[in-house]
Amino acid sequence: MIETERNKRKTDRAWNTLYQRLDKEGLLSGRPASPFRSLAWKGGLAAAAVALLCLLVSVVYLNRSGQDADPNLLTRQNSETATTLVTTLEDGSVVYLAGNTSLKFPEHFSPDRREVSLQGNALFDVAGNRARPFVIETEDTRIEVLGTAFNVKSTGSSPFELSVQRGEVRVTLKKNGQDIHVKAGETVTLLSRRLQLSTTPDPALFDRYTERIRFKDEKLGNILRVINLQNPDIRLEATPELWNRTLTVTFSNDTPEAMAELICLALDLKKTRQDNTILLSKQ
């Protein structure tokens, strides 16, 4: 009997402490005359406590999410479908993002690895560096390359597919650890939860990424580098003081000469051609 009374007093004190905290936070609109003898009140108070606990858990989760997010992680997203958005990464690798595609990457790669994540379809032209493998994370696979060009299709509406234009790529299936090496002229597809290798059915698929390309706030030096990659016969160059000038521009199956003309009009420059080189400089 004495123990029961002690337990009752402890319970009443606990409820009273909880009530005071809730009342202090302004979570209670009023207090009944006998809160500790009313089972209905205790039930309501318990519900309020659970609600407060859920709120605290949500806040902690949001705060942790904010802390875990890398402030240096950048995102490039192409919301258009008519053009390919081209971006050059810190290491010189070039990524051609198809419509409705997003790429996340760090502002600065780590000394031993270059890691990005992809959602959608893209063409990668990776700068070679055997000491720093280039790793692409998709929903189902992990792709590791040293230096090559390849096309990746990774959308929820169609199976994962990767085709290599040159070089060699290793693809690992996350669910079961299956990995496969894909060489130039080969395509790997995720079918029935397995990676399957075949000959690339349409080599022209790589060219579709460069038919209509768009640059957004891209440095002129990077734009000229991409143009030269696609047109090796005629080289576009600029004087050093122009390399960091930024430009937003779209090219649609234009010749190197036409692209040079558009750049000159946009940045008020002049062009001079000597043999197979077009030099851009200030007026």
Side-chain angles (χ1 to χ4, degrees):
M1 201 59 186
I2 297 175
E3 186 66 21
T4 301
E5 287 295 322
R6 287 179 180 175
N7 290 337
K8 182 178 180 299
R9 286 196 296 272
K10 288 181 180 180
T11 301
D12 287 346
R13 285 197 298 270
W15 281 111
N16 187 45
T17 299
L18 179 57
Y19 171 81
Q20 291 175 353
R21 290 184 179 179
L22 292 172
D23 187 53
K24 183 178 180 181
E25 295 295 329
L27 298 176
L28 302 178
S29 59
R31 178 178 178 177
S34 303
F36 306 113
R37 295 184 182 182
S38 171
L39 293 177
W41 172 252
K42 288 183 179 180
L45 195 59
V50 172
L52 178 61
L53 178 61
C54 292
L55 176 62
L56 292 175
V57 170
S58 299
V59 171
V60 170
Y61 175 79
L62 291 174
N63 286 340
R64 285 184 177 178
S65 298
Q67 292 173 355
D68 292 341
D70 186 351
N72 294 323
L73 198 64
L74 305 178
T75 300
R76 285 287 185 274
Q77 184 168 357
N78 185 12
S79 56
E80 298 184 9
T81 57
T83 60
T84 298
L85 179 63
V86 185
T87 187
T88 300
L89 305 181
E90 178 196 33
D91 66 329
S93 296
V94 180
V95 186
Y96 302 78
L97 301 176
N100 300 319
T101 296
S102 64
L103 178 76
K104 293 185 178 180
F105 55 96
E107 183 177 1
H108 301 291
F109 289 120
S110 65
D112 56 345
R113 288 173 75 83
R114 298 169 288 170
E115 296 181 303
V116 303
S117 61
L118 174 72
Q119 183 176 6
N121 303 339
L123 174 67
F124 288 81
D125 195 335
V126 177
N129 189 336
R130 290 188 172 275
R132 301 171 72 194
F134 193 99
V135 179
I136 305 168
E137 296 282 349
T138 72
E139 182 178 358
D140 297 312
T141 63
R142 180 177 297 107
I143 305 162
E144 184 174 347
V145 300
L146 298 177
T148 182
F150 54 94
N151 162 65
V152 180
K153 293 183 179 180
S154 177
T155 61
S157 59
S158 59
F160 168 85
E161 183 179 291
L162 180 145
S163 301
V164 177
Q165 185 179 31
R166 65 175 187 273
E168 184 175 341
V169 175
R170 183 174 71 180
V171 180
T172 302
L173 191 58
K174 292 180 178 179
K175 288 186 177 180
N176 58 20
Q178 178 196 7
D179 63 49
I180 190 167
H181 286 255
V182 190
K183 299 179 181 179
E186 295 180 335
T187 294
V188 61
T189 308
L190 179 59
L191 296 173
S192 302
R193 300 180 183 181
R194 297 286 297 177
L195 295 173
Q196 299 185 20
L197 191 65
S198 63
T199 301
T200 300
D202 182 16
L205 65 89
F206 303 105
D207 298 331
R208 298 192 187 106
Y209 284 90
T210 59
E211 289 175 352
R212 185 174 172 83
I213 58 177
R214 176 169 54 93
F215 298 89
K216 183 179 180 181
D217 298 326
E218 192 71 53
K219 293 180 180 180
L220 178 58
N222 291 336
I223 294 175
L224 298 184
R225 181 173 178 272
V226 171
I227 293 174
N228 292 333
L229 285 173
Q230 303 303 323
N231 301 276
D233 295 334
I234 298 178
R235 185 173 183 82
L236 269 59
E237 295 182 355
T239 53
E241 70 273 11
L242 299 176
W243 290 349
N244 291 328
R245 292 277 299 273
T246 58
L247 179 64
T248 296
V249 64
T250 298
F251 301 118
S252 181
N253 281 326
D254 294 304
T255 63
E257 292 89 344
M259 288 187 275
E261 187 66 33
L262 287 172
I263 294 172
C264 288
L265 290 173
L267 299 179
D268 192 23
L269 306 176
K270 66 178 181 179
K271 62 184 179 70
T272 306
R273 178 163 182 170
Q274 184 175 3
D275 298 329
N276 292 332
T277 300
I278 300 175
L279 178 65
L280 308 183
S281 59
K282 290 183 178 180
Q283 292 279 12

